[in-house]
């Protein structure tokens, strides 16, 4: 799985950080998402999918190709 984020679409809701803090963080100044791990390990995939699904602006994109 490869994760990308569109920081221009991010509204700083922080749901992704709450769900997968090993993969996502927020900027101190603006709360905009910071991608910590663009290729998370398999045990995190379900949580990353959930984070992408609950993102209110759809700023998280997933590529599930091997």
């Amino acid at each position: 799985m490869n994760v990308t984020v569109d920081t221009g679409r991010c509204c700083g809701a922080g749901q992704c950080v709450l769900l997968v803090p090993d993969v996502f963080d927020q900027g101190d100044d603006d709360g905009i998402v910071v991608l910590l791990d663009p290729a998370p390990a398999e045990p995190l995939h379900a949580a990353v999918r959930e984070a992408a699904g609950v993102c209110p602006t759809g700023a998280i994109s997933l590529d599930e190709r091997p």
Side-chain angles (χ1 to χ4, degrees):
M1 169 185 286
N2 289 305
V3 181
T4 56
V5 295
D6 182 344
T7 57
R9 293 179 69 177
C10 178
C11 68
Q15 297 302 308
C16 57
V17 179
L18 292 173
L19 286 166
V20 203
D22 290 338
V23 176
F24 304 103
D25 198 358
Q26 287 180 286
D28 291 332
D29 295 334
D30 56 9
I32 299 300
V33 66
V34 174
L35 183 60
L36 300 175
D37 186 357
E42 195 280 327
L44 297 173
H45 288 189
V48 172
R49 285 185 198 99
E50 183 177 356
V54 300
C55 179
T57 62
I60 301 168
S61 298
L62 307 177
D63 182 351
E64 305 244 13
R65 291 178 287 181

